[in-house]
Coordinates of all heavy atoms in Angstrom, one line a residue:
G1 N 3.0 -8.6 -19.2 CA 4.2 -8.2 -19.8 C 5.2 -7.5 -18.8 O 6.3 -7.2 -19.2
Q2 N 4.8 -7.2 -17.6 CA 5.6 -6.6 -16.6 C 5.9 -7.6 -15.5 O 5.0 -8.3 -15.1 CB 5.0 -5.3 -16.0 CG 4.9 -4.2 -17.1 CD 4.4 -2.9 -16.4 OE1 4.3 -2.8 -15.2 NE2 4.2 -1.9 -17.3
P3 N 7.2 -7.7 -15.1 CA 7.5 -8.8 -14.1 C 7.0 -8.5 -12.7 O 6.8 -9.4 -11.9 CB 9.0 -8.8 -14.1 CG 9.4 -7.4 -14.6 CD 8.3 -7.0 -15.5
K4 N 6.7 -7.2 -12.3 CA 6.4 -6.9 -11.0 C 4.9 -7.2 -10.6 O 4.0 -7.0 -11.4 CB 6.6 -5.4 -10.8 CG 6.5 -4.9 -9.3 CD 6.9 -3.5 -9.2 CE 6.7 -3.0 -7.8 NZ 7.0 -1.6 -7.7
I5 N 4.7 -7.8 -9.4 CA 3.4 -8.0 -8.9 C 3.3 -7.1 -7.6 O 4.2 -7.2 -6.7 CB 3.2 -9.5 -8.5 CG1 3.2 -10.3 -9.7 CG2 1.9 -9.6 -7.7 CD1 3.0 -11.8 -9.5
V6 N 2.3 -6.2 -7.6 CA 2.2 -5.3 -6.5 C 1.2 -5.9 -5.5 O 0.1 -6.3 -5.8 CB 1.6 -3.9 -7.0 CG1 1.5 -3.0 -5.9 CG2 2.6 -3.4 -8.0
N7 N 1.6 -5.9 -4.2 CA 0.8 -6.4 -3.1 C 0.1 -5.2 -2.4 O 0.8 -4.4 -1.8 CB 1.7 -7.2 -2.2 CG 0.9 -7.9 -1.1 OD1 -0.3 -7.7 -0.9 ND2 1.6 -8.8 -0.4
K8 N -1.2 -5.2 -2.3 CA -1.9 -4.1 -1.6 C -2.9 -4.7 -0.6 O -3.2 -5.9 -0.7 CB -2.8 -3.3 -2.7 CG -2.0 -2.6 -3.7 CD -1.5 -1.3 -3.2 CE -0.8 -0.5 -4.3 NZ -0.2 0.7 -3.8
R9 N -3.3 -3.9 0.3 CA -4.4 -4.3 1.3 C -5.6 -3.5 0.9 O -5.6 -2.3 0.8 CB -3.9 -3.9 2.7 CG -3.0 -5.0 3.3 CD -3.7 -5.6 4.5 NE -2.9 -6.7 4.9 CZ -3.3 -8.0 5.0 NH1 -4.5 -8.3 4.6 NH2 -2.5 -8.9 5.4
W10 N -6.7 -4.2 0.7 CA -8.0 -3.6 0.5 C -9.0 -4.1 1.5 O -8.7 -5.1 2.2 CB -8.5 -4.0 -0.9 CG -7.7 -3.5 -2.1 CD1 -6.3 -3.4 -2.1 CD2 -8.1 -3.1 -3.3 NE1 -5.9 -2.9 -3.4 CE2 -7.0 -2.7 -4.1 CE3 -9.4 -3.0 -3.9 CZ2 -7.1 -2.2 -5.4 CZ3 -9.5 -2.5 -5.2 CH2 -8.4 -2.1 -5.9
S11 N -10.1 -3.4 1.7 CA -11.1 -3.8 2.6 C -12.4 -3.3 2.2 O -12.6 -2.6 1.2 CB -10.7 -3.2 4.0 OG -10.8 -1.8 3.9
I12 N -13.5 -3.8 2.9 CA -14.8 -3.4 2.6 C -15.2 -2.5 3.8 O -15.1 -2.9 5.0 CB -15.8 -4.6 2.5 CG1 -15.3 -5.5 1.4 CG2 -17.2 -4.1 2.3 CD1 -15.5 -5.0 0.0
N13 N -15.7 -1.2 3.6 CA -16.1 -0.4 4.7 C -17.5 -0.6 5.1 O -18.2 -1.5 4.6 CB -15.8 1.1 4.3 CG -16.8 1.7 3.3 OD1 -17.7 1.1 2.9 ND2 -16.5 2.9 2.8
Q14 N -18.0 0.2 6.1 CA -19.3 0.1 6.6 C -20.4 0.3 5.6 O -21.6 -0.1 5.8 CB -19.5 1.0 7.8 CG -18.6 0.6 9.0 CD -18.7 1.6 10.1 OE1 -19.2 2.7 9.9 NE2 -18.1 1.3 11.2
K15 N -20.1 1.0 4.5 CA -21.1 1.3 3.5 C -21.0 0.3 2.4 O -21.6 0.5 1.3 CB -20.9 2.7 2.9 CG -21.1 3.8 3.9 CD -20.9 5.2 3.3 CE -21.0 6.3 4.3 NZ -20.7 7.6 3.8
A16 N -20.3 -0.8 2.6 CA -20.1 -1.9 1.6 C -19.4 -1.4 0.4 O -19.7 -1.9 -0.8 CB -21.5 -2.6 1.3
M17 N -18.5 -0.5 0.5 CA -17.7 0.0 -0.6 C -16.3 -0.7 -0.5 O -15.8 -0.9 0.6 CB -17.5 1.5 -0.5 CG -18.8 2.2 -0.8 SD -18.7 4.0 -0.6 CE -17.8 4.4 -2.1
L18 N -15.7 -1.0 -1.7 CA -14.3 -1.5 -1.7 C -13.3 -0.4 -1.6 O -13.4 0.6 -2.3 CB -14.2 -2.2 -3.1 CG -12.8 -2.8 -3.4 CD1 -12.6 -4.0 -2.4 CD2 -12.8 -3.3 -4.8
C19 N -12.4 -0.5 -0.6 CA -11.5 0.6 -0.2 C -10.1 0.1 -0.2 O -9.8 -1.0 0.1 CB -11.9 1.2 1.2 SG -13.5 1.8 1.3
R20 N -9.2 1.1 -0.4 CA -7.8 0.9 -0.3 C -7.1 2.2 0.1 O -7.6 3.3 -0.2 CB -7.1 0.4 -1.6 CG -7.1 1.4 -2.7 CD -6.6 0.8 -4.0 NE -6.7 1.7 -5.1 CZ -5.8 2.6 -5.5 NH1 -4.7 2.7 -4.8 NH2 -6.1 3.4 -6.5
T21 N -5.9 2.1 0.7 CA -5.2 3.3 1.0 C -4.3 3.6 -0.2 O -3.9 2.7 -0.9 CB -4.3 3.1 2.3 OG1 -3.5 2.0 2.2 CG2 -5.2 3.0 3.5
F22 N -4.0 4.9 -0.3 CA -3.2 5.3 -1.5 C -2.4 6.5 -1.2 O -2.9 7.4 -0.5 CB -4.2 5.5 -2.7 CG -3.5 5.9 -4.0 CD1 -2.9 5.0 -4.7 CD2 -3.5 7.2 -4.4 CE1 -2.3 5.3 -5.9 CE2 -2.9 7.6 -5.6 CZ -2.3 6.6 -6.3
G23 N -1.3 6.7 -1.8 CA -0.5 7.9 -1.8 C 0.4 8.0 -0.5 O 0.4 7.2 0.3
R24 N 1.1 9.1 -0.5 CA 2.0 9.4 0.6 C 1.3 9.5 2.0 O 1.9 9.2 3.0 CB 2.8 10.7 0.4 CG 3.7 10.6 -0.8 CD 4.5 11.9 -1.0 NE 5.2 11.8 -2.2 CZ 5.5 12.9 -3.0 NH1 5.1 14.1 -2.6 NH2 6.1 12.8 -4.1
Q25 N 0.1 10.1 2.0 CA -0.6 10.3 3.2 C -1.5 9.1 3.6 O -2.3 9.2 4.5 CB -1.4 11.6 3.2 CG -0.4 12.8 3.0 CD -1.2 14.1 2.8 OE1 -2.4 14.1 2.6 NE2 -0.5 15.2 2.9
N26 N -1.5 8.1 2.8 CA -2.4 6.9 3.0 C -3.8 7.3 3.1 O -4.5 6.8 4.0 CB -1.9 6.1 4.2 CG -0.8 5.1 3.8 OD1 -0.7 4.7 2.7 ND2 0.0 4.8 4.8
K27 N -4.3 8.1 2.2 CA -5.7 8.5 2.2 C -6.5 7.3 1.7 O -6.1 6.5 0.9 CB -6.0 9.7 1.3 CG -5.4 11.0 1.8 CD -5.8 12.1 1.0 CE -5.3 13.4 1.5 NZ -5.7 14.6 0.7
E28 N -7.7 7.1 2.3 CA -8.5 6.0 1.9 C -9.3 6.3 0.7 O -10.0 7.3 0.6 CB -9.4 5.6 3.0 CG -10.2 4.3 2.7 CD -10.9 3.8 3.9 OE1 -12.0 4.4 4.2 OE2 -10.5 2.8 4.6
H29 N -9.2 5.5 -0.4 CA -10.0 5.7 -1.6 C -11.0 4.5 -1.7 O -10.6 3.4 -1.6 CB -9.1 5.7 -2.9 CG -8.3 6.9 -2.9 ND1 -8.6 8.0 -3.7 CD2 -7.1 7.2 -2.4 CE1 -7.7 8.9 -3.6 NE2 -6.7 8.4 -2.8
C30 N -12.3 4.9 -1.9 CA -13.3 3.8 -1.9 C -14.1 3.9 -3.2 O -14.3 4.9 -3.8 CB -14.3 4.0 -0.7 SG -13.5 3.8 0.9
T31 N -14.6 2.7 -3.6 CA -15.3 2.6 -4.8 C -16.6 1.8 -4.6 O -16.6 0.7 -3.9 CB -14.4 1.8 -5.8 OG1 -13.2 2.5 -6.0 CG2 -15.1 1.6 -7.2
K32 N -17.7 2.2 -5.2 CA -18.9 1.4 -5.2 C -18.8 0.3 -6.2 O -18.3 0.5 -7.3 CB -20.1 2.3 -5.5 CG -20.5 3.3 -4.5 CD -21.7 4.1 -4.9 CE -22.0 5.2 -3.9 NZ -23.1 6.0 -4.3
V33 N -19.2 -0.9 -5.8 CA -19.2 -2.0 -6.7 C -20.6 -2.5 -7.0 O -21.3 -2.8 -6.0 CB -18.3 -3.1 -6.1 CG1 -18.3 -4.3 -7.1 CG2 -16.9 -2.6 -5.8
R34 N -21.0 -2.6 -8.3 CA -22.3 -3.1 -8.6 C -22.2 -4.1 -9.7 O -21.3 -4.1 -10.5 CB -23.2 -1.9 -9.1 CG -23.4 -0.9 -8.1 CD -24.6 0.0 -8.5 NE -24.9 0.9 -7.4 CZ -24.9 2.2 -7.5 NH1 -24.7 2.8 -8.6 NH2 -25.2 2.9 -6.4
T35 N -23.2 -5.0 -9.7 CA -23.2 -6.1 -10.7 C -23.8 -5.4 -12.0 O -24.4 -4.4 -12.0 CB -24.0 -7.3 -10.3 OG1 -25.4 -6.8 -10.0 CG2 -23.5 -8.0 -9.1
T36 N -23.5 -6.1 -13.1 CA -24.1 -5.7 -14.4 C -25.0 -6.8 -14.9 O -25.2 -7.8 -14.2 CB -23.0 -5.4 -15.5 OG1 -22.3 -6.7 -15.7 CG2 -21.9 -4.4 -15.0
S37 N -25.5 -6.6 -16.1 CA -26.4 -7.6 -16.7 C -25.7 -8.9 -17.0 O -26.2 -10.0 -17.0 CB -27.1 -7.1 -17.9 OG -26.2 -6.7 -18.9
S38 N -24.4 -8.8 -17.2 CA -23.5 -10.0 -17.4 C -23.2 -10.6 -16.1 O -22.8 -9.9 -15.1 CB -22.2 -9.5 -18.1 OG -21.3 -10.6 -18.1
P39 N -23.3 -12.0 -16.0 CA -23.0 -12.6 -14.7 C -21.5 -12.4 -14.2 O -21.3 -12.5 -13.0 CB -23.2 -14.1 -15.0 CG -23.6 -14.2 -16.4 CD -23.6 -12.9 -17.0
E40 N -20.6 -12.2 -15.1 CA -19.2 -12.0 -14.7 C -18.8 -10.5 -14.8 O -17.6 -10.2 -14.6 CB -18.2 -12.9 -15.4 CG -18.2 -12.8 -16.9 CD -19.3 -13.6 -17.6 OE1 -19.8 -14.6 -17.1 OE2 -19.7 -13.1 -18.7
G41 N -19.7 -9.6 -14.9 CA -19.3 -8.2 -15.1 C -19.6 -7.4 -13.8 O -20.5 -7.7 -13.1
L42 N -18.8 -6.4 -13.6 CA -19.0 -5.4 -12.5 C -18.8 -4.0 -12.9 O -18.0 -3.8 -13.9 CB -17.9 -5.7 -11.4 CG -18.0 -6.9 -10.5 CD1 -16.9 -7.0 -9.6 CD2 -19.3 -7.0 -9.8
T43 N -19.5 -3.1 -12.3 CA -19.2 -1.7 -12.5 C -18.6 -1.1 -11.2 O -19.1 -1.3 -10.1 CB -20.5 -0.9 -12.8 OG1 -21.1 -1.4 -14.0 CG2 -20.3 0.6 -12.9
L44 N -17.5 -0.4 -11.4 CA -16.8 0.2 -10.3 C -16.9 1.7 -10.4 O -16.6 2.2 -11.5 CB -15.3 -0.2 -10.3 CG -15.1 -1.7 -10.2 CD1 -13.8 -2.1 -10.9 CD2 -15.0 -2.2 -8.7
K45 N -17.3 2.4 -9.4 CA -17.6 3.8 -9.5 C -17.2 4.5 -8.2 O -17.5 4.1 -7.1 CB -19.1 4.0 -9.7 CG -19.5 5.5 -9.9 CD -21.0 5.6 -10.2 CE -21.3 7.1 -10.4 NZ -22.8 7.3 -10.6
N46 N -16.4 5.7 -8.4 CA -16.2 6.5 -7.3 C -16.6 7.9 -7.6 O -17.4 8.1 -8.5 CB -14.7 6.5 -6.9 CG -13.8 7.0 -8.0 OD1 -14.2 7.8 -8.8 ND2 -12.5 6.5 -8.0

């Protein structure tokens, strides 16, 4: 319902976490990604 598409750069760090930069100081925020019992489900945790 919103026209804007936001383009970001994400990466995988050495600990196999999904990371992105965020905020004015471009601090790196990382999230652990795990599968669930559902084949198409994921749990994201920071």
Side-chain angles (χ1 to χ4, degrees):
Q2 294 186 4
K4 187 176 180 180
I5 295 177
V6 179
N7 187 348
K8 296 281 186 182
R9 280 242 175 240
W10 294 37
S11 62
I12 304 291
N13 72 6
Q14 294 173 346
K15 296 179 182 178
M17 295 176 73
L18 181 63
C19 300
R20 67 182 172 91
T21 57
F22 182 77
R24 292 181 191 150
Q25 298 173 349
N26 277 333
K27 290 185 178 181
E28 188 173 74
H29 291 266
C30 297
T31 303
K32 292 180 184 180
V33 179
R34 294 196 174 125
T35 58
T36 64
S37 58
S38 168
E40 57 276 333
L42 290 176
T43 298
L44 302 150
K45 182 179 181 182
N46 63 25

